[in-house]
Amino acid sequence: MKLNSPLQVYKYLPQINCAECGDTTCMAFAAHLIDRSKKLENCPPLLKDEYKKKYMELQVLIAPEIRDVTIGIGEHAKKIGGDDIIYRHQLTFFNPTALAYDVWDTMADSELVERVNKIQNFRKFYVGKFLRVDMVAVRCVSGDALRFAGAVKKVSETTKLPLILCSFDPAVLKAGLEVVRDKNPLIYAATENNWGEVSELALNYKVPVVLFSTDLDKLKSLALTFREMGIKDLVLDPGTYPQGKQMKETFDRFIKLRRAGIKEGQKDIAYPIMAVPLNSWIVYKDVVTASYWETVLASVFTVRYGDIMILHSLEPYAMLPEVHIRDTIYTDPRTPVKVAPGVNVVGSPTKDSPVIITTNFALTYYTVESDLSSNKINCYLAAVDTDGIGVEAAVAGGQLTAAKIKDTFQKANFDFKEKTTYGTLILPGLAARLQGDVEDATELRVLIGPPDSGRIPGWMEKNWPPKQK
Amino acid sequence: MTKKIKLSELGSLLGGLDIEALEGVKIEGDVEIDLGQMGLNPQMAYALGHETAQIAFHLMNISKILGYPVGQMPGAPAPATKRLSKLIESKFSVGRMEEWKTNIQEVVLGATSSDGGSRKSTVTLGGEGALPYYFDAAMPHRNHITMDVFDMPINMAKAVKGNYEDVINSPPEWAKKVVRDFGADMVTIHLISTDPNIKDTSPSDAARTVEDVLQAVDVPIVIGGSGNPEKDPAVLEKAAESAEGERCLLASASLNLDYARIAEAAKKYNHVVLSWTQLEINAQKELNRKLIKQCGVARENIIMDPTTAALGYGLDYAYTNMERIRLAGLTGDTELNFPMSSGTTNAWGAREAWMVSSPLKEDSDWGAREYRGPIWEIITGLTLSLAGNDLFMMMHPTAVQVLKEITQTLYGSKEAEPFNLENWVSAVI
Ligand code: B12
Ligand code: SF4
């Protein structure tokens, strides 16, 4: 964004401190505009006619450096791009890299449906949410426009995920667009050879479009030309070579594009960037090798500025790291990683259910909570206030102590006599050394669970209900 | 020549649009659109989202696609956009990072006979003038990998263990195997049996193990303690003495043990100190400063380990911590411009790396774990390599091989066959 201090933004605000935005002052609201936790529309006075000019100006001044582009419609629509920074600690990256997995038009219908379902049903629980993948890329392998349209139709009947239509033949793209014209698919790709016809398609169907060239001069020419024609929703594919020096040059191009867009404010090329790790499959035929290398390429370009990528492998050992590395890079470093401390209920505990101790670090808490609920273990789960530190580090750093544990139950008015038959606590295996202290402080029996909460179900079978002493 | 287009055809062409909305749009003969009653500039109306105008606009677009001479349509607006017949010429250029003025310190590990050691080769780390693999400044040295060897059998993930069952009781054989079969650039001998809570073996026992490993291989080595802050200084001192002159990496000096003793041992017997802190840039700065100013360790004898957390288990902290440290170094912080090392093996702590299957029924199938573990180690290391890490401590042979391949590709030392980038779209995979 062009403005980077609250003071600069403040000049454009009504300056009446009416607090309708939820902040007590316009200056505070300005700071939230800068860190993008609030939007212009959160200030009702600014939307009135008298401020229209300021509103319009501000809209341009605080727009992200990299244009954002939306693909698809409805709740599954995915926004890509929209970044303002080069390193994640400077603020946070917005709009996580969209992961698109391919299908192709020579697949039998049943295969196609099965593959699309695999893509849209993939999920991995992590810190209170499911990590998922985002899009389906339909490739025209047949070279036949009708056949391609048929495949696009089948895919769009099977999923609401956004689509990428892939072909260098404008007639093929057009046939596909006819089928999903109201679904805002991304079309791939315009090149220096076909750009005239592809630009017509982008204009006529009002869809976002990928520009492809490994030559950055040409890529910029394409972007300028499309922009001049009024096409703003552009994605740049500078080519993803899978190997060798060419791969290194690919890496260079990603860095150059993003540096030009953000650091140098070169609006002409400030668009989301596409990577195609799928190219791994053109050089490696063995499934494991190709999947591994594809995941490696995907990771490099998740860390370094890929906003959308096309992938092939649906092997779990490829998809799991792919969704995790994306989450790693796009996690907002500003958001606290804590949950509220207290004694929570998992399932529907009875007097015979266990009372389990963990910390209020979100990663720890959600991991433990999901291990318990997924395995239908009814219990009380106490999130001790460790300032958002995990078990092992909190024991080492003194945030998880017997006193803190006792305090958690006191604050929650948790009466062991009334609520439990066994008067027993279960400590994490990694907090074993607190056992004696906790027994002394709480006058309860303390059992030591396994080191990993994923092992609680098996442990319970052997150790619960607790044997009489 | 006139072509006629029927309303019914338009209906199907317009797909999702409500056909009734076509009221008020009269279509005659040559796709004429009568916008008479609307009294609006269609282009403006379109921008405002006026339904009828929108339909008209679509009609125009369709006509264009179908090849009708749109411009001649009576009442039709000039298109909202221009058509260009030639690409606008342009040149792309971008500057270099002027603020990266300070290079990372170069550090040599291992010493050959000419330098008072017995290694056949040495490993040089550091020297960078830019973020890893960036075009701003050539990266003088590639990344290196040192593989873990333990002085007693330990718990390992099943996928790792399979590779070491034959050597698990012999550190020298284990060391030979990782260099000979798995392409390790270096070997790390972890003296974990010295931990009072494990076997409490003596510092002299540990020193003998180090000598055996130095005999067995001719690459530079890392000497690792057990992690016990009370015992490690004595163990590392003794080991350093027995490896005098070999320029080993002593792992580690940290703020929660007597780092001065480790620094002293490094100085006295010519070794390099690994300055280890826990994911905290200020702590790293503090420890480095103490090693340099208070203990007098020379700059060319310091490597940092700012801590590695596994993918999904704090890699976000570890990555950003390293990236910030490297950026600080490049922009002139001479207390942070040292090469970095990562305990990449930590990746095996992630349950995704070792568990048979997900403990959560709601998760998609995790597949075979023998493939999950190595890639967890690879991606953890790879991410940190992009943040500026130079040396990787690793365990799984496949992970080592793949990490070498990608870091050397990015470094620019791998060749490949010519490749046609347009093929993937229509490739049969
Ligand atoms: C990330 C990290 C940090 C981060 C912590 C961020 C955070 N919010 O927690 C930071 C940088 C702050 C940090 C600091 C320190 N750390 Co630290 N840190 C780690 C690291 C890399 C990962 C820990 C982690 O997040 N694990 C993932 C979470 C989910 O695990 P968890 O909380 O343990 O939960 C699991 C289990 O405990 C179990 N579980 C949880 N609850 C329950 C309940 C029951 C009933 C059961 C049965 C099981 C169970 O299941 C969970 C899922 O598997 C580890 C090394 C490693 N293991 O890779 C070191 C580590 C934990 N840190 C360590 C140390 C020493 C420290 C410091 C003291 C260092 C220092 N000298 O400053 C400080 C302490 C800071 C403080 N407490 O204020 C040591 C602990 C050594 C020990 N055993 O005593 C470790 C092991 C590193 C090492 N090898 O030395 N650290
Ligand atoms: S709503 Fe607008 S005018 Fe009112 S305080 Fe917030 S920023 Fe100021």
Side-chain angles (χ1 to χ4, degrees):
Chain A
M1 54 179 85
K2 294 281 167 283
L3 303 182
N4 44 32
S5 89
L7 199 64
Q8 290 172 317
V9 173
Y10 178 76
K11 292 192 186 127
Y12 293 87
L13 294 176
Q15 308 181 2
I16 52 174
N17 299 338
C18 71
E20 278 186 67
C21 55
D23 286 311
T24 43
T25 63
C26 295
M27 191 61 98
F29 180 71
H32 285 131
L33 286 177
I34 296 277
D35 74 14
R36 291 216 239 164
S37 57
K38 290 213 168 130
K39 296 196 182 99
L40 284 182
E41 291 67 31
N42 296 131
C43 167
L46 191 60
L47 305 180
K48 291 189 189 141
D49 276 353
E50 49 182 314
Y51 291 110
K52 198 166 181 111
K53 192 163 160 277
K54 294 249 155 104
Y55 170 75
M56 306 282 261
E57 282 171 348
L58 204 47
Q59 211 166 28
V60 175
L61 291 169
I62 67 169
E65 293 295 336
I66 302 298
R67 190 181 168 82
D68 56 37
V69 172
T70 302
I71 303 161
I73 50 164
E75 55 169 330
H76 290 280
K78 190 86 190 163
K79 211 193 247 186
I80 59 171
D83 278 315
D84 260 327
I85 49 148
I86 305 225
Y87 309 111
R88 64 187 285 278
H89 67 266
Q90 295 171 318
L91 179 67
T92 182
F93 288 136
F94 294 93
N95 307 320
T97 310
L99 305 177
Y101 291 78
D102 77 326
V103 297
W104 49 99
D105 66 353
T106 49
M107 293 175 94
D109 273 5
S110 58
E111 270 182 306
L112 188 63
V113 169
E114 192 188 333
R115 192 166 160 93
V116 171
N117 280 330
K118 233 175 150 177
I119 296 166
Q120 67 177 341
N121 294 335
F122 175 84
R123 57 184 190 164
K124 162 70 164 67
F125 188 82
Y126 184 66
V127 197
K129 59 176 194 271
F130 282 102
L131 303 178
R132 293 173 185 275
V133 301
D134 314 287
M135 296 184 190
V136 178
V138 190
R139 296 189 295 121
C140 179
V141 171
S142 68
D144 174 348
L146 267 180
R147 189 149 181 192
F148 183 70
V152 171
K153 183 155 184 285
K154 196 82 211 160
V155 174
S156 70
E157 284 165 4
T158 314
T159 184
K160 292 200 164 75
L161 291 184
L163 304 188
I164 308 178
L165 309 183
C166 308
S167 172
F168 291 111
D169 180 349
V172 168
L173 289 176
K174 180 166 183 296
L177 280 168
E178 277 303 320
V179 180
V180 288
R181 57 178 313 144
D182 53 349
K183 301 212 165 130
N184 193 33
L186 174 65
I187 55 173
Y188 184 99
T191 65
E192 55 177 312
N193 301 320
N194 71 8
W195 66 271
E197 288 154 287
V198 176
S199 63
E200 284 290 304
L201 294 175
L203 277 170
N204 295 333
Y205 291 87
K206 307 234 157 294
V207 289
V209 54
V210 182
L211 311 178
F212 165 66
S213 176
T214 54
D215 176 340
L216 294 184
D217 293 340
K218 292 256 162 56
L219 200 57
K220 186 174 170 189
S221 279
L222 282 166
L224 272 172
T225 308
F226 274 57
R227 184 68 192 82
E228 185 65 19
M229 289 190 286
I231 308 169
K232 296 179 198 153
D233 287 341
L234 304 176
V235 176
L236 310 178
D237 174 8
T240 305
Y241 285 102
Q243 283 180 314
K245 295 216 166 67
Q246 299 148 313
M247 192 265 157
K248 183 185 171 55
E249 284 158 15
T250 297
F251 182 80
D252 285 351
R253 287 194 289 274
F254 273 65
I255 311 265
K256 285 179 177 166
L257 284 173
R258 193 46 48 97
R259 181 182 294 173
I262 291 180
K263 190 160 184 286
E264 300 188 1
Q266 298 187 28
K267 274 274 166 254
D268 294 341
I269 48 77
Y271 297 98
I273 311 177
M274 172 182 274
V276 186
L278 177 144
N279 276 317
S280 171
W281 291 84
I282 312 294
V283 286
Y284 296 114
K285 298 301 167 209
D286 166 63
V287 173
V288 179
T289 313
S291 296
Y292 261 49
W293 196 251
E294 181 177 45
T295 309
V296 160
L297 295 176
S299 303
V300 169
F301 294 115
T302 300
V303 176
R304 293 289 180 228
Y305 312 133
D307 297 290
I308 179 167
M309 53 181 77
I310 298 185
L311 301 147
H312 175 74
S313 183
L314 299 187
E315 298 293 335
Y317 56 81
M319 293 178 87
L320 287 169
E322 282 159 6
V323 293
H324 269 291
I325 188 65
R326 176 188 51 182
D327 190 78
T328 297
I329 297 303
Y330 282 85
T331 293
D332 188 341
R334 301 168 301 169
T335 50
V337 289
K338 299 183 216 178
V339 300
V343 183
N344 303 317
V345 162
V346 179
S348 32
T350 64
K351 282 190 88 169
D352 292 343
S353 303
V355 181
I356 293 176
I357 307 290
T358 193
T359 80
N360 76 330
F361 179 35
L363 175 59
T364 305
Y365 183 81
Y366 285 117
T367 306
V368 177
E369 200 263 349
S370 60
D371 286 346
L372 294 168
S373 59
S374 166
N375 288 289
K376 311 236 163 352
I377 296 177
N378 300 314
C379 62
Y380 295 101
L381 179 61
V384 178
D385 185 358
T386 56
D387 296 334
I389 303 284
V391 173
E392 213 174 0
V395 171
Q399 288 92 344
L400 184 59
T401 60
K404 280 268 184 76
I405 291 172
K406 187 179 173 195
D407 193 47
T408 307
F409 291 102
Q410 256 167 12
K411 282 204 176 122
N413 288 321
F414 190 89
D415 184 344
F416 279 84
K417 291 228 172 61
E418 175 200 314
K419 290 219 163 98
T420 71
T421 314
Y422 302 109
T424 299
L425 291 177
I426 303 176
L427 280 186
L430 296 174
R433 67 166 113 140
L434 301 179
Q435 187 175 26
D437 286 355
V438 177
E439 278 173 344
D440 293 346
T442 60
E443 296 176 355
L444 295 165
R445 204 164 145 199
V446 176
L447 298 180
I448 302 301
D452 192 297
S453 55
R455 296 268 164 99
I456 294 179
W459 181 90
M460 290 274 290
E461 274 168 34
K462 290 199 196 107
N463 297 284
W464 198 262
K467 293 167 196 73
Q468 295 305 320
K469 268 194 195 159
Chain B
M1 205 182 72
T2 55
K3 273 189 189 172
K4 287 199 191 271
I5 185 159
K6 293 202 189 82
L7 203 65
S8 57
E9 289 169 358
L10 275 172
S12 63
L13 277 174
L14 286 171
L17 292 173
D18 189 353
I19 199 77
E20 278 171 21
L22 283 171
E23 275 174 14
V25 180
K26 231 165 76 195
I27 298 165
E28 291 165 356
D30 207 15
V31 205
E32 281 181 14
I33 305 170
D34 184 352
L35 296 160
Q37 316 93 312
M38 286 170 53
L40 264 173
N41 170 345
Q43 217 178 305
M44 173 68 86
Y46 181 78
L48 296 175
H50 191 291
E51 203 176 32
T52 316
Q54 201 160 343
I55 308 265
F57 199 80
H58 270 290
L59 282 174
M60 265 172 44
N61 287 336
I62 289 161
S63 328
K64 252 179 277 155
I65 297 175
L66 297 175
Y68 293 104
V70 176
Q72 297 153 26
M73 288 193 292
T81 46
K82 10 179 171 163
R83 297 304 197 258
L84 298 175
S85 57
K86 258 179 65 207
L87 280 178
I88 302 170
E89 289 290 317
S90 83
K91 280 265 170 249
F92 174 88
S93 74
V94 70
R96 283 169 196 268
M97 293 294 290
E98 299 304 330
E99 54 266 54
W100 292 346
K101 290 199 165 73
T102 309
N103 282 58
I104 304 307
Q105 175 69 45
E106 269 188 359
V107 176
V108 180
L109 292 171
T112 56
S113 55
S114 57
D115 291 313
S118 65
R119 305 298 87 197
K120 203 160 160 213
S121 57
T122 61
V123 161
T124 308
L125 303 174
E128 298 94 333
L131 278 181
Y133 326 121
Y134 274 44
F135 57 90
D136 301 86
M139 187 165 157
H141 308 290
R142 68 170 172 89
N143 306 87
H144 287 83
I145 291 172
T146 176
M147 288 182 76
D148 295 330
V149 171
F150 292 85
D151 69 347
M152 60 177 273
I154 57 148
N155 280 334
M156 284 182 249
K158 202 162 167 257
V160 178
K161 202 171 187 169
N163 298 291
Y164 301 114
E165 258 149 3
D166 52 336
V167 293
I168 202 147
N169 288 303
S170 167
E173 290 306 313
W174 191 338
K176 272 189 204 158
K177 185 170 188 181
V178 297
V179 175
R180 185 190 58 222
D181 298 348
F182 302 152
D185 299 309
M186 294 178 55
V187 170
T188 304
I189 173 72
H190 294 278
L191 303 165
I192 56 164
S193 72
T194 59
D195 190 321
N197 304 318
I198 299 178
K199 278 191 174 171
D200 203 15
T201 51
S202 70
S204 345
D205 290 343
R208 254 191 310 280
T209 307
V210 169
E211 279 167 28
D212 290 347
V213 171
L214 282 168
Q215 286 279 322
V217 294
D218 54 18
V219 296
I221 71 163
V222 182
I223 303 176
S226 68
N228 183 295
E230 279 77 47
K231 184 86 175 277
D232 270 1
V235 171
L236 291 176
E237 250 167 24
K238 197 78 195 157
E241 185 185 347
S242 73
E244 179 163 10
E246 297 285 8
R247 288 193 66 75
C248 303
L249 179 60
L250 302 184
S252 324
S254 71
L255 288 166
N256 59 1
L257 52 63
D258 192 351
Y259 55 83
R261 274 176 78 184
I262 292 162
E264 206 46 48
K267 280 184 346 195
K268 196 159 160 197
Y269 306 115
N270 189 19
H271 298 298
V272 177
V273 178
L274 186 61
S275 167
W276 173 48
T277 55
Q278 299 261 348
L279 294 174
E280 229 277 279
I281 187 167
N282 293 315
Q284 188 68 60
K285 210 167 142 63
E286 180 190 341
L287 180 57
N288 293 353
R289 187 187 315 129
K290 286 183 161 150
L291 291 173
I292 300 166
K293 298 244 166 74
Q294 181 190 329
C295 309
V297 178
R299 290 183 51 83
E300 61 269 26
N301 292 336
I302 295 177
I303 292 177
M304 305 181 282
D305 177 355
T307 292
T308 292
L311 176 61
Y313 294 84
L315 183 60
D316 46 336
Y317 294 97
Y319 167 79
T320 283
N321 188 45
M322 276 196 171
E323 191 171 71
R324 289 180 62 198
I325 289 174
R326 178 51 47 98
L327 288 169
L330 292 171
T331 48
D333 189 331
T334 51
E335 284 172 346
L336 288 172
N337 66 334
F338 298 97
M340 291 190 278
S341 170
S342 148
T344 314
T345 305
N346 281 354
W348 289 92
R351 56 164 65 170
E352 289 80 355
W354 58 267
M355 258 191 199
V356 181
S357 58
S358 175
L360 303 186
K361 299 186 175 56
E362 296 82 358
D363 274 359
S364 300
D365 184 7
W366 281 12
R369 66 169 156 175
E370 74 234 59
Y371 297 125
R372 273 186 267 124
I375 197 142
W376 225 259
E377 190 176 357
I378 294 164
I379 303 304
T380 301
L382 171 57
T383 305
L384 297 180
S385 83
L386 292 163
N389 191 67
D390 300 273
L391 178 68
F392 298 86
M393 303 194 177
M394 301 182 70
M395 279 216 87
H396 197 286
T398 306
V400 168
Q401 194 198 330
V402 178
L403 191 77
K404 273 197 157 176
E405 186 71 24
I406 183 62
T407 52
Q408 286 175 32
T409 299
L410 288 167
Y411 177 70
S413 56
K414 292 279 170 183
E415 298 292 342
E417 301 286 310
F419 185 88
N420 185 344
L421 273 177
E422 297 192 11
N423 286 350
W424 69 267
V425 173
S426 56
V428 178
I429 298 177

